[in-house]
Amino acid sequence: MINNNGMSPSNTMMTGDLILVRGNRFPTSNLIRFITGSPYTHVGIAFDESTVFEVDAFEQLKRKAIKHDDYIVVRLKHTLNNKQKSMLKQHMRQMEADSKGYDWKMIFSIFIQRAFMIPLRLENPHRFICSEVVDQLYLQMGIDLVASRDAFI
């Protein structure tokens, strides 16, 4: 769950903005809505004004042109300064270099936990899901976007 007190909608995209996607691009979108209870099925983070840094079920973690049709841009109320933007981009490059792809084990364990109330946590430290990418990048800058860390991000 994102702590909405520190975020506000934006009409433009700049480094560090969250890109919240309401999409049906993959068959898994409805499953994600069911599991999370959110209208958003994907999140990325803006690398700059025209590219987004993201991972999805079928593509590696990387920077790419935004391809989503139905999304909103959300920005921290206190905009990142140039030093923070530079640090964020550096963390993105390192995370991309270290990434081994999408973390299907984490998706499986989230589904099992939510559907059957069985506490299960499987994850690979070099594989990511989209929300985990955003969370880890901001945490590396000392900014916690999450209201509660008791559950999956």
Side-chain angles (χ1 to χ4, degrees):
M1 168 181 251
I2 295 174
N3 180 354
N4 291 328
N5 294 330
M7 308 297 281
S8 62
S10 176
N11 293 326
T12 61
M13 191 167 81
M14 61 189 259
T15 302
D17 288 348
L18 302 185
I19 313 306
L20 300 175
V21 180
R22 289 180 292 253
N24 288 310
R25 186 164 176 244
F26 300 113
T28 55
S29 294
N30 287 330
L31 179 61
I32 292 168
R33 273 190 207 86
F34 169 75
I35 290 171
T36 64
S38 171
Y40 303 105
T41 60
H42 181 66
V43 65
I45 185 167
F47 186 85
D48 55 29
E49 300 80 23
S50 61
T51 58
V52 63
F53 187 70
E54 63 186 347
V55 65
D56 65 40
F58 305 105
E59 292 186 12
Q60 291 278 47
L61 179 61
K62 64 182 173 183
R63 178 173 50 133
K64 51 192 158 186
I66 194 159
K67 62 185 178 298
H68 307 290
D69 296 325
D70 187 8
Y71 65 92
I72 64 168
V73 177
V74 182
R75 180 170 301 146
L76 286 175
K77 287 186 179 174
H78 301 286
T79 306
L80 299 178
N81 62 39
N82 288 337
K83 183 178 179 183
Q84 288 172 312
K85 288 178 186 179
S86 178
M87 183 187 313
L88 182 61
K89 287 180 177 182
Q90 180 181 6
H91 289 312
M92 287 178 183
R93 289 181 188 104
Q94 186 61 53
M95 188 179 253
E96 181 179 3
D98 293 343
S99 175
K100 304 294 183 207
Y102 197 70
D103 196 347
W104 284 104
K105 286 181 182 179
M106 183 179 280
I107 294 296
F108 175 74
S109 59
I110 292 170
F111 174 74
I112 295 299
Q113 185 172 340
R114 296 277 167 90
F116 303 107
M117 302 303 201
I118 298 172
L120 178 66
R121 187 153 189 124
L122 303 171
E123 57 189 309
N124 183 320
H126 298 286
R127 292 182 178 270
F128 303 96
I129 62 173
C130 61
S131 54
E132 183 182 24
V133 169
V134 171
D135 179 56
Q136 286 192 17
L137 286 168
Y138 267 97
L139 278 177
Q140 288 178 16
M141 294 191 322
I143 300 170
D144 194 349
L145 300 177
V146 180
S148 171
R149 295 215 165 257
D150 294 338
F152 289 100
I153 305 302

